[in-house]
Amino acid sequence: MSLERGLELMRAERWFDAHEALEDEWRDAPQAERDFLQGLVHVTVAWHHAAKGNQAGASRQLEKAVRRLGPYAPTHRDVDVTRVLLQVEAASARVAEGLLDLLPVRV
C-alpha cells in the first residue's frame, strides 16, 4: 500500500481501509516521514470512531492528528496539510458538542 492509496481510500470514506494503507506506508517510512503519516492515520481513525459513535475516541485521535501534522503545514508530499488541519479543527468542535456526523475529510 502507499500514501496515494491511503488518500484515495480517505476520499472514498473507507476509514478503516485508509488507516491500514497509511499504517503500511508508515511502517517502512524514513523517520522524517513517520509523524506525517501517523498524523494521517490519526485523522482516519478519528473519522472511523465518529462513524461508530465513539466520541471520546474521535476526540483523542483528532488531538493527536493536530500534534503530528502541524509541523508539516502548509503542504507536504502534495497534501494540503493546512486544509486537513482546518477540517480536523472543525471536526473537533463538532465532536466536543457531541455531534459525530462529521463532514468527509478532503485531502
Side-chain angles (χ1 to χ4, degrees):
M1 299 273 180
S2 67
L3 172 62
E4 293 76 22
R5 179 70 178 142
L7 296 174
E8 177 184 304
L9 291 164
M10 287 174 78
R11 291 180 192 110
E13 299 179 48
R14 293 177 49 193
W15 308 120
F16 183 80
D17 295 332
H19 157 265
E20 292 294 311
L22 292 166
E23 199 167 69
D24 285 348
E25 175 89 0
W26 170 80
R27 282 188 192 102
D28 297 327
Q31 190 62 39
E33 293 296 309
R34 292 176 70 87
D35 276 350
F36 170 70
L37 294 164
Q38 190 66 41
L40 292 176
V41 168
H42 290 309
V43 171
T44 65
V45 174
W47 259 256
H48 179 75
H49 279 309
K52 298 294 184 188
N54 182 351
Q55 181 179 0
S59 180
R60 281 191 304 273
Q61 293 298 315
L62 291 165
E63 290 171 12
K64 291 177 185 179
V66 169
R67 285 196 307 269
R68 299 274 187 173
L69 289 174
Y72 294 92
T75 60
H76 185 73
R77 292 182 65 180
D78 295 324
V79 173
D80 186 340
V81 176
T82 299
R83 182 179 183 196
V84 173
L85 288 169
L86 288 171
Q87 293 171 86
V88 167
E89 182 181 311
S92 294
R94 288 190 63 78
V95 170
E97 294 176 16
L99 303 171
L100 300 178
D101 57 333
L102 304 182
L103 293 173
V105 66
R106 299 292 175 221
V107 289

